[in-house]
Amino acid sequence: MAVFHDGTAYAQAPPLGTSVNYAIIAGSGITNTGPSVITGIPGFPGDIGSIGGSITGFPPGILATGVIHAINDAATNTARNDFFSAYNNLAGRVATADLTGQNLGGLVLPPGVYNFDSSAQLTGTLSLDGLNDPSSIFVFNIGSTLTTANASTVLLLNGAQGNNVYWRVGSSATLGTTTSFVGNIFALTSITLNTGATITCGVAFAMNGAVTLDTNRISLCAQIVAPTEPVEPVEDVPPVATVIDDVLEAGGTVPLAFITLFALPPAELVDALNRLSGEVGTGAAVAGVQGMNSMLSMLTNPNAERYFGEAPPPRRPGIYKAPIYTKAVAATSYEPARWGLWAAAYGGRTDTGASAFGTHDRSVSTYGYAAGLDYRFTADTTIGVAVAGGGSSFGLSEGLGGGRSDMFQVAAPPGSTGPISRPRSPMAGTAYRPSATSRLPAWNVSPLIIPPTASAAVWKPAIVSPCRHGAGRRGSG
């Protein structure tokens, strides 16, 4: 069943053939006690018939519009075969949800196919919501028995039709006293209606066993085959809905908690599925990666220089040449400042979305403050350590949620080579880190090209230049 889209896999009633003319079909007899009333409608009289046994209790039972067929007559045999074809048709339906072990009482169910591996029990009220579509179909495939407690009720909501409710029972069905039942009972064995129980807009067909009545009412009703107004499909279906449809069409089932959501109005349903999709949870990882990238971009920014005091002189050539008639002059030793201390601030914001995946716009902001200590091994090579603290926040559009976190980061910047010179002013760099939300693993998502509308400004000024070394004091500061 395509719950959200236009699929109609479960939207078809089973073929009933000539059984539509009957209210009761039995395999081994029909017995009535008290003034039961069987009522048909024009075109579908509500006959009763049995293949074996006998039909007794009419009167006092009354057939308001139909007739009692002779035992094992040709019409009843044909109707019984048609009913059994419908029984098997229902058995082949793919389940929307597995309700095994759950009481039907208190549930509100949308159209679908509901499976019970063994018995089914109704205590209280079961509500069937047609979602404003009178042609919606409800199928209950029950492995063994169907039993209702006394005074239980099946209630139809929002255009649901009793003619479109089918109870396929693997053995016997028993309706408790004064139960108000709705729908067609197709039982493989027998059907018993206790005192005062009613079937409104439905039938009682027992393939092999008997049908037993006690002051009951069974009424057929007219079938509404189409809604009086077109039913608008749900627009902008969340991807999670597509996944649910795919699971159902592949023969899987979904938890009942999801099924009960489908009774919501379309706008509320879309909002509920968006919240259940877990999309907001994807923001935390993106915020963490953005914070990490911000710090790494700052540390590896080639334009952000660290201050070590006096700039070193140009490097000596690898080979020193002098005229042969003069004595080579020893190069002047150079002892630069070896330690450098710096501080910086960084941060940024990205606003992204991926309509191709049906995701919502997401905003991620990060900020941090860092301090570092560098040591110069040579005029061309430094190494250091940096620590940073800050935070991140993220949120989804349409009020779907968000979050924040604190960050603490530690890094050991890699060594660098090349001349190092005194900076003349604080340096700044800009980095763009576009990203996209998806419920697919990142390695399965095609890269998205996003305009560089967001940036992270890296500010890394020269702060101090302590501990210049004096002559003869290498390695100490």
Side-chain angles (χ1 to χ4, degrees), residues 3-5 236-248 254-255 258 261-262 269-279 357-360 439:
V3 178
F4 302 98
H5 300 92
D236 299 324
V237 175
V240 66
T242 301
V243 173
I244 292 174
D245 280 349
D246 291 343
V247 169
L248 296 178
V254 296
F258 281 87
L261 288 173
F262 302 157
L269 174 60
V270 171
D271 181 68
L273 289 170
N274 279 327
R275 295 179 185 277
L276 286 172
S277 69
E279 184 181 346
F357 297 108
T359 57
H360 293 79
R439 278 171 293 278

Side-chain angles (χ1 to χ4, degrees), residues 327-342:
K327 183 177 180 180
V329 179
T332 302
S333 63
Y334 167 72
E335 181 64 27
R338 291 188 177 276
W339 293 98
L341 180 65
W342 56 268

Side-chain angles (χ1 to χ4, degrees), residues 9 30 79 84 88 94 105 160-161 163 170 191 194 230 239 273 276 329 359 405 430 448 450:
I30 301 170
F84 193 57
N88 290 328
V94 178
Q161 302 293 307
N163 260 4
I191 300 174
N194 287 317
L273 289 170
L276 286 172
V329 179
T359 57
S405 64
T430 301
L448 299 176
I450 300 178

